[in-house]
Amino acid sequence: GAVVSQHPSWVICKSGTSVKIECRSLDFQATTMFWYRQFPKQSLMLMATSNEGSKATYEQGVEKDKFLINHASLTLSTLTVTSAHPEDSSFYICSSGLAGGYNEQFFGPGTRLTVL
Amino acid sequence: GQQLNQSPQSMFIQEGEDVSMNCTSSSIFNTWLWYKQEPGEGPVLLIALYKAGELTSNGRLTAQFGITRKDSFLNISASIPSDVGIYFCAGRSNTGKLIFGQGTTLQVKP
């Protein structure tokens, strides 16, 4: 299957700072990547769909100015949590796959964000 | 919006027992996927189903895509301690997005 990596695997930051999370496809070109958020003991919730070379599509209720997504190349998408607050603490996971990820989606290992 | 109902929410079984979990939806899906997630990690794809009625196996795992395209089940035979984790079903809609079930937490007693 397709391999997706994320960096960093965990990050702790102070309230008000911005944090960037990277998602890379290692052995395929990802025209589309997906960003999810998962709170403890809950399921995955899609935040946005990241399209290479164009603007991301955000799900209802997700603030695009707070969660900035950049998909500048076929192997890298970044999610920046701007002016992070404790309620943004969560597990952020990206996914992608062959055929734009619209068949099988493979997930990265996730990034644990803790905002103090 | 579309929702998936996954059951049971949790299971605590003895090693060697078989396990069954399922997902139902009020909407039709084109693809059903089953994932396993361990603590602090991303979900790992177990089985992908693309056609109604399809029955697919992956080792001790077997999953089926319901004929109505609104449900799917996952069976695990002869469970072992390393089967412990959270199992998620996910359906892919016409929009291409994945909708996830609430997850089934599996615990296996040696």
Side-chain angles (χ1 to χ4, degrees):
Chain A
V3 181
V4 178
S5 71
Q6 276 183 248
H7 179 81
S9 56
W10 61 269
V11 56
I12 301 173
C13 70
K14 293 182 179 180
S15 185
T17 60
S18 295
V19 174
K20 180 185 285 188
I21 302 170
E22 295 184 347
C23 179
R24 294 182 185 273
S25 57
L26 298 185
D27 54 357
F28 67 101
Q29 293 184 328
T31 55
T32 304
M33 289 184 172
F34 303 89
W35 286 96
Y36 293 82
R37 180 167 52 183
Q38 185 179 33
F39 291 108
K41 299 189 183 301
Q42 293 189 22
S43 188
L44 286 79
M45 294 299 295
L46 180 65
M47 298 175 65
T49 302
S50 169
N51 301 296
E52 187 267 336
S54 64
K55 292 183 179 180
T57 303
Y58 291 82
E59 295 301 299
Q60 190 173 5
V62 177
E63 299 175 57
K64 63 179 182 180
D65 294 330
K66 181 167 185 62
F67 299 99
L68 301 179
I69 292 174
N70 184 285
H71 194 156
S73 79
L74 285 172
T75 60
L76 174 64
S77 175
T78 61
L79 169 68
T80 301
V81 183
T82 62
S83 187
H85 291 284
E87 58 265 29
D88 298 323
S89 298
S90 187
F91 194 50
Y92 292 86
I93 319 173
C94 68
S95 74
S96 189
L98 303 177
Y102 288 108
N103 284 327
E104 302 171 359
Q105 279 190 29
F106 298 91
F107 286 82
T111 297
R112 171 73 60 192
L113 171 63
T114 302
V115 185
L116 302 177
Chain B
Q2 292 175 308
Q3 292 184 337
L4 289 185
N5 295 312
Q6 185 172 350
S7 64
Q9 187 175 4
S10 63
M11 304 179 74
F12 189 85
I13 62 170
Q14 195 77 32
E15 181 178 1
E17 291 183 352
D18 297 342
V19 172
S20 183
M21 59 192 79
N22 69 85
C23 276
T24 60
S25 170
S26 58
S27 305
I28 289 174
F29 286 104
N30 297 322
T31 303
W32 283 94
L33 305 171
W34 284 93
Y35 291 89
K36 178 186 178 185
Q37 186 179 30
E38 299 191 25
E41 299 181 11
V44 174
L45 182 64
L46 300 174
I47 292 180
L49 303 161
Y50 299 107
K51 294 196 307 187
E54 179 181 355
L55 183 71
T56 298
S57 293
N58 178 6
R60 293 178 295 105
L61 278 61
T62 302
Q64 185 160 31
F65 192 148
I67 289 290
T68 64
R69 294 166 63 193
K70 293 182 178 181
D71 63 297
S72 177
F73 71 75
L74 174 71
N75 288 341
I76 305 173
S77 63
S79 59
I80 58 178
S82 62
D83 290 333
V84 166
I86 303 176
Y87 292 79
F88 289 100
C89 63
R92 184 179 67 85
S93 66
N94 285 334
T95 65
K97 299 175 185 177
L98 286 187
I99 309 296
F100 280 82
Q102 301 97 324
T104 295
T105 300
L106 178 63
Q107 295 180 313
V108 180
K109 183 178 179 181

